[in-house]
Amino acid sequence: MRIIRGLIIHISTVTLTPATLDKLAKLSKLSLDPGKAEALRASLSDIVGWVGQLESAPVQGLAPMAHPHDLPLRLRDDALEAFPEREVLMANAPEAAGGFFLVPRVVE
C-alpha cells in the first residue's frame, strides 16, 4: 500500500475507485466527461499496475543512475565567436525601427 498525496494506492491489486479518479481529476485540475470516466479509470488502473510491477525488479546492489548509458557530456569549448551585424539579423524582421524589432502591443 502506498499513500501519494492523500491517495491510498494498493500496488499489488490496483483498482482506482470512481472517488479516487475524481480526486485525481480535481488535483490535476481536469474536467472529466462522465461517459469516458469508466474507460479512463480502467486505463489508469492498468498503468498503475504496470508501474507497480517495477517493484519486483531485482535492483539490489545497483547504484542509482540518471541514464542507462554511461555517456560523457558533449560540451563545446567556451570560445568567443563573431556575432553577425545588426543589419543581417534584422533582415528577416517583419517590422523594425531604429535597429529594434517592432511587435504588436499585448498589454494595454
Side-chain angles (χ1 to χ4, degrees), residues 77-105:
D77 291 334
D78 191 12
L80 183 62
E81 297 179 7
F83 203 71
E85 296 294 324
R86 182 183 298 245
E87 293 77 26
V88 174
L89 295 173
M90 300 299 290
N92 290 326
E95 293 185 56
F100 297 100
F101 290 99
L102 294 179
V103 296
R105 180 182 294 267

Side-chain angles (χ1 to χ4, degrees), residues 12 16-17 20 22 37 41 44 50 53 75 80 92-93 95 104:
S12 58
L16 296 176
T17 64
T20 303
D22 290 340
R41 189 175 68 78
L44 285 176
W50 293 330
Q53 290 176 6
L75 301 175
L80 183 62
N92 290 326
E95 293 185 56

Side-chain angles (χ1 to χ4, degrees), residues 2 11 14-15 17 22 33 39-40 44-45 51 54 58 67 80 83-84 90 105:
R2 298 258 174 134
I11 297 296
V14 179
T15 54
T17 64
D22 290 340
D33 179 12
L40 178 62
L44 285 176
S45 292
V51 172
L54 292 175
H67 196 277
L80 183 62
F83 203 71
M90 300 299 290
R105 180 182 294 267

